[in-house]
Amino acid sequence: MKFVIKLFPEIVVKSKSVRKRFIKLLEGNLRNVLKRVDDSVRVKQTWDKIDVNCADDLAPETVERLIEVMCKTPGIDAVQQVERYQYQSIDDIYQRALVVYGPLLTDKTFCVRVKRTGKHDFSSLDVERYVGGGLNQNSDAKGVQLKNPDIEIRLEIAGDTVSMITRQLKGLGGFPIATQESVLSLISGGFDSAVSSFQFIKRGCRVHYCFFNLGGDAHEAGVREMVHLLWSQYGASHRVKFIAVPFDEVVGDILENVDNGHMGVILKRMMMRAAAQLADKVGIKALVTGEAVGQVSSQTITNLSVIDEVTDHVILRPLIVSDKQDIIDQARAIGTQELSASMPEYCGVISNSPTIKADLNRVREEESKLNMGLLNEAVYRAKAEDIRDIMSKPKPQQDVDIVATLPLHAHVIDVRSDEEVERDPLELSNAFVEHIPFFKLATAFENLDANVDYYLYCDRGVMSRLQAIHLTEAGHSNAKVYRP
């Protein structure tokens, strides 16, 4: 069995030296990922395509897995499955072509192209005329059309074997990984950061990942799963790093000392500072985020400019003018939508009445109140892991109690942001409701009565559940979830 890899058109138009380099890298990338499926696969490049040869007796599920891997490898425009048949005459070739291509020609124009190697008592033109005439007479095709036909049938004849394309599937497109420079993607696990990471994988970058942990081990476990999915599906030809940064103390410092309206912008500036330091350690010059103009308050043009000011590293935002629904649709297409939907966004709900036009001097004044040593400590404690090892860490216990009906006089803690509570307050007649936003909960919980059960609440039940897990990990057995 054979597959023919057609190159992404942008590769074909490169200069000769660049094209050769891109094809060579794609050949190596394919070899790396395909050998994990079947180590008998052989990959060989030519000037305009790459041939993938494998055993004819592979199990159907192995064949489908090979196709899936090739279709998700950046740099490929199409994957053609080629079947090889023994023949004794031109009529044998035609009869096989009728079976393979006849059903595809209904109401289509077509032509037949033949490439022949070896000694035969017929020419390539003889085969084209015989096969083309037979198909035209014995199928429902519109007719033969040599220029710009709907379907081009390509046959390759070598000795007594003819090869025919039996299936063609759309590839991922883009450039082979490592044709472009490496980037460090700031990944939260949400729709935006996952899609922006994917887009840079597709464009040929080795994408390393930086995660700022604000939600404990449970949040990190979800992000690890997301990152591993992206890498294993689209970027597994190269090793990359996953860097987890403990950022809760930095966030606490911001919450205690910074004006409410500037918290979101300053949090993003602190993240950029930390990410730039970590990028320098691994020799990366560019940072990637999933920000889009106007999506949240920190993503106005003014605020993005203020955020960018803290680093000389280029900050790349592939989704900068994307609509949210388009981002979600792409997340669904690449397989990250379900995971992202279960992941709370921490960064966007820090500020109360956030500014949309931050003044740089005012921001610097607010930052002067912070302990920058906490940022340096977070960078120092950041843990970098090989992407292949990130799923080996045991998942945290997630067996918190979730109730739909509260006991009489229960104590409920609403963990939503101030804005969410103001917009839609939680009112319960037979329970006491206290508002402690999630980012203050860990500290505040230490001062609550350890003999009382507390039921955490949020709109979707995701943030409350993560916070209950976080508190349970910290030794509090009285944190539960209220999910009506």
Side-chain angles (χ1 to χ4, degrees):
M1 186 181 299
K2 176 182 177 181
F3 297 95
V4 174
I5 304 298
K6 307 302 289 185
L7 306 174
F8 184 56
E10 285 189 47
I11 299 174
V12 177
V13 299
K14 297 291 184 185
S15 67
K16 182 177 181 180
S17 60
V18 173
R19 178 173 173 174
K20 287 177 66 176
R21 181 171 67 88
F22 277 33
I23 297 173
K24 184 175 179 62
L25 283 168
L26 179 54
E27 178 191 30
N29 294 351
L30 279 169
R31 190 175 288 115
N32 285 342
V33 293
L34 293 177
K35 69 181 182 182
R36 298 171 189 167
V37 180
D38 184 83
D39 59 9
S40 69
V41 171
R42 297 294 178 262
V43 182
K44 183 179 180 180
Q45 62 166 302
T46 63
W47 174 243
D48 61 346
K49 62 184 175 62
I50 293 176
D51 293 332
V52 176
N53 291 281
C54 52
D56 291 329
D57 58 351
L58 287 179
E61 56 269 23
T62 303
V63 173
E64 293 305 311
R65 177 59 183 150
L66 288 171
I67 292 172
E68 180 186 8
V69 169
M70 287 185 283
C71 287
K72 290 182 176 180
T73 298
I76 294 174
D77 185 60
V79 177
Q80 298 174 336
Q81 184 173 348
V82 178
E83 300 290 348
R84 290 171 283 209
Y85 306 100
Q86 300 290 316
Y87 73 93
Q88 293 183 343
S89 66
I90 295 181
D91 189 65
D92 285 347
I93 298 174
Y94 155 67
Q95 294 295 339
R96 177 59 65 177
L98 181 62
V99 172
V100 172
Y101 299 111
L104 306 177
L105 297 178
T106 302
D107 295 327
K108 307 283 187 181
T109 60
F110 75 98
C111 71
V112 178
R113 308 289 189 201
V114 175
K115 181 180 179 181
R116 185 177 58 86
T117 57
K119 293 183 177 181
H120 303 89
D121 58 2
F122 53 80
S123 68
S124 298
L125 185 58
D126 292 335
V127 180
E128 290 175 358
R129 287 173 174 169
Y130 190 96
V131 174
L135 290 174
N136 192 39
Q137 292 178 18
N138 297 290
S139 73
D140 295 324
K142 276 186 179 180
V144 175
Q145 183 172 307
L146 299 181
K147 290 186 177 180
N148 302 316
D150 295 323
I151 295 177
E152 186 175 81
I153 296 172
R154 290 188 173 272
L155 308 178
E156 292 188 8
I157 298 172
D160 61 352
T161 301
V162 59
S163 297
M164 299 183 183
I165 297 170
T166 58
R167 186 161 49 147
Q168 177 162 309
L169 301 104
K170 183 65 179 172
L172 188 63
F175 290 152
I177 294 178
T179 57
Q180 310 303 312
E181 296 175 74
S182 297
V183 298
L184 182 65
S185 178
L186 279 62
I187 187 109
S188 68
F191 298 108
D192 306 336
S193 61
V195 171
S196 61
S197 299
F198 163 78
Q199 291 192 354
F200 272 91
I201 295 173
K202 180 180 175 181
R203 200 60 185 170
C205 296
R206 290 177 66 182
V207 177
H208 303 261
Y209 301 90
C210 180
F211 165 61
F212 292 95
N213 193 339
L214 311 182
D217 288 348
H219 186 203
E220 182 175 328
V223 175
R224 283 171 175 267
E225 189 173 351
M226 170 71 74
V227 166
H228 193 267
L229 184 153
L230 283 168
W231 172 77
S232 62
Q233 292 291 310
Y234 304 104
S237 59
H238 287 75
R239 300 179 187 178
V240 295
K241 293 186 181 300
F242 173 77
I243 305 173
V245 188
F247 225 57
D248 49 345
E249 292 185 9
V250 175
V251 174
D253 194 30
I254 293 172
L255 294 170
E256 292 296 326
N257 296 295
V258 170
D259 168 71
N260 266 340
H262 290 82
M263 286 181 181
V265 170
I266 289 176
L267 174 61
K268 292 291 182 67
R269 280 168 61 93
M270 297 295 272
M271 287 179 170
M272 292 301 175
R273 286 187 175 102
Q277 292 184 44
L278 293 165
D280 283 339
K281 289 184 177 182
V282 290
I284 293 175
K285 301 300 182 185
L287 309 177
V288 173
T289 79
E291 292 161 313
V293 167
Q295 191 173 116
V296 296
S297 61
S298 65
Q299 295 174 18
T300 62
I301 291 175
T302 296
N303 287 352
L304 291 173
S305 175
V306 170
I307 291 167
D308 289 2
E309 187 265 345
V310 301
T311 177
D312 292 332
H313 289 66
V314 60
I315 300 176
L316 302 169
R317 297 180 171 97
L319 308 181
I320 193 66
V321 292
S322 298
D323 296 331
K324 189 66 176 185
Q325 188 57 52
D326 291 340
I327 297 170
I328 294 173
D329 290 345
Q330 186 164 11
R332 185 178 296 109
I334 65 176
T336 61
Q337 187 267 341
E338 188 174 343
L339 266 176
S340 291
S342 68
M343 208 81 63
E345 287 284 358
Y346 284 82
C347 301
V349 295
I350 294 296
S351 290
N352 184 22
S353 300
T355 179
I356 59 171
K357 287 190 176 181
D359 177 77
L360 182 57
N361 291 328
R362 174 65 188 279
V363 168
R364 288 172 175 168
E365 180 184 337
E366 291 294 326
E367 285 183 339
S368 68
K369 305 172 186 177
L370 298 176
N371 178 4
M372 288 297 177
L374 294 175
L375 179 70
N376 295 330
E377 177 68 16
V379 172
Y380 175 76
R381 291 167 53 205
K383 184 178 180 182
E385 299 174 74
D386 188 305
I387 192 77
R388 297 169 300 173
D389 301 329
I390 66 170
M391 296 306 290
S392 61
K393 182 178 180 179
K395 283 192 174 184
Q397 293 292 328
Q398 300 188 8
D399 53 348
V400 294
D401 291 336
I402 301 176
V403 302
T405 303
L406 293 168
L408 194 63
H409 306 309
H411 193 128
V412 176
I413 299 177
D414 190 336
V415 302
R416 295 176 296 166
S417 68
D418 294 339
E419 290 172 313
E420 291 174 294
V421 171
E422 185 177 347
R423 185 171 60 248
D424 184 22
L426 177 65
E427 297 178 353
L428 300 172
S429 58
N430 294 317
F432 173 71
V433 178
E434 180 178 5
H435 174 223
I436 305 177
F438 73 88
F439 46 79
K440 294 183 178 179
L441 186 60
T443 301
F445 210 84
E446 298 285 347
N447 300 318
L448 298 180
D449 189 343
N451 297 313
V452 174
D453 288 336
Y454 296 94
Y455 297 85
L456 312 187
Y457 169 83
C458 70
D459 287 333
R460 291 191 300 152
V462 176
M463 182 72 79
S464 55
R465 181 168 173 268
L466 274 176
Q467 291 302 311
I469 293 169
H470 194 19
L471 291 170
T472 301
E473 291 167 355
H476 301 288
S477 59
N478 56 335
K480 306 178 188 299
V481 175
Y482 173 47
R483 183 79 172 109

